[in-house]
Amino acid sequence: MNFKNYKTSTLVSFIVILAIFCNFIYLQLDDFLMQFPKLKEISNYIEFLSILGLMTLVIKLIDSHFWAFEITNLIIEIPDLNGRYEGIMTSSYIDSETQEPTQLECVMEIIQNASSIHVFTYIGKKGILTSSSETICEVLKKKENGFYTLYYNYGNNSNLNVEFNDHKGTAYLEFFPDIVSLRGNYFNERKNNGTIDVKLVSKKIIGRFNEK
């Protein structure tokens, strides 16, 4: 967990308010447990039953679950990219049959919370998986126009039944919230480059190229 996507200007104030709130809850809980000496003794060994423990619990819940709700926009303001995206990847590699840039089916599954984002990509042709990739490092950056661009490096694993060349690459995709799509470019160490255009089709992650 990190705070790179949090607003530093309001995060400090939030932590101060959270500390006051957790102190109040802790005192109320402590008074209640005083009526039960054995429970009170046990509570001394339970980490989250302390002011720091309660604060940590709240922050972890925000980071993992509640960050996407509007109420948290005071401290976090990033788009929710979670889900399964489908579309087309166009490569500069020339198709031997058509003598034109290769067009491939592209599926992206994104897993995100407030402090991290991870992208799994599946590439196929005629319904058959040809390769898959997983991001190595990722940055979601807000531009001057208010839109966000997702930058990432990835490692690609080829389907040995189709091709034999694993490789690494870089991509940068702009997110368009009104149509919930990602569009941008990529390039790799095989000296190929191209475009990616995918659109959200489901919030469900299935972890593979297709339903089969």
Side-chain angles (χ1 to χ4, degrees):
M1 178 179 172
N2 60 66
F3 295 99
K4 66 181 180 181
N5 292 323
Y6 288 71
K7 299 178 182 178
T8 53
S9 57
T10 56
L11 180 60
V12 174
S13 299
F14 171 76
I15 290 176
V16 171
I17 295 170
L18 180 61
I20 295 171
F21 173 75
C22 288
N23 181 63
F24 173 77
I25 296 297
Y26 173 76
L27 292 175
Q28 297 298 313
L29 183 60
D30 194 57
D31 286 343
F32 173 76
L33 290 175
M34 289 295 288
Q35 303 173 52
F36 308 94
K38 288 187 177 180
L39 285 178
K40 173 61 178 173
E41 184 177 350
I42 294 172
S43 71
N44 293 330
Y45 299 96
I46 302 177
E47 187 176 342
F48 77 87
L49 293 179
S50 66
I51 297 173
L52 182 58
L54 289 170
M55 289 179 65
T56 302
L57 179 62
V58 171
I59 291 172
K60 283 186 175 181
L61 286 172
I62 290 174
D63 189 75
S64 60
H65 294 90
F66 302 135
W67 65 274
F69 292 92
E70 290 186 10
I71 193 171
T72 63
N73 283 354
L74 290 173
I75 57 171
I76 309 164
E77 190 179 6
I78 54 172
D80 180 2
L81 304 186
N82 277 298
R84 181 179 173 89
Y85 297 72
E86 296 181 2
I88 297 295
M89 183 177 79
T90 303
S91 170
S92 61
Y93 182 79
I94 300 300
D95 190 313
S96 58
E97 295 180 1
T98 64
Q99 296 303 309
E100 295 181 353
T102 304
Q103 281 203 335
L104 298 166
E105 300 159 33
C106 179
V107 175
M108 300 180 75
E109 293 190 333
I110 298 179
I111 299 173
Q112 179 190 11
N113 60 33
S115 58
S116 67
I117 185 168
H118 210 65
V119 184
F120 299 85
T121 303
Y122 307 92
I123 303 300
K125 190 172 185 179
K126 297 179 180 179
I128 299 173
L129 176 71
T130 58
S131 68
S132 62
S133 67
E134 182 178 344
T135 51
I136 302 167
C137 60
E138 316 85 1
V139 174
L140 185 59
K141 185 176 181 181
K142 187 176 184 178
K143 301 192 300 182
E144 292 296 325
N145 63 3
F147 288 87
Y148 283 80
T149 300
L150 176 62
Y151 301 87
Y152 61 85
N153 294 329
Y154 63 88
N156 180 280
N157 298 304
S158 299
N159 182 346
L160 297 180
N161 294 319
V162 181
E163 55 180 72
F164 300 91
N165 196 347
D166 292 351
H167 59 274
K168 292 181 174 62
T170 299
Y172 51 97
L173 308 175
E174 188 167 359
F175 178 63
F176 297 95
D178 58 327
I179 53 176
V180 200
S181 65
L182 290 159
R183 295 175 180 172
N185 301 276
Y186 78 92
F187 56 91
N188 60 43
E189 60 187 9
R190 295 193 299 187
K191 302 188 184 304
N192 291 329
N193 60 75
T195 62
I196 296 173
D197 188 346
V198 292
K199 187 171 184 178
L200 181 72
V201 295
S202 174
K203 281 291 186 178
K204 181 182 178 182
I205 302 294
I206 67 171
R208 57 187 185 274
F209 177 56
N210 51 36
E211 294 288 348
K212 296 180 181 179

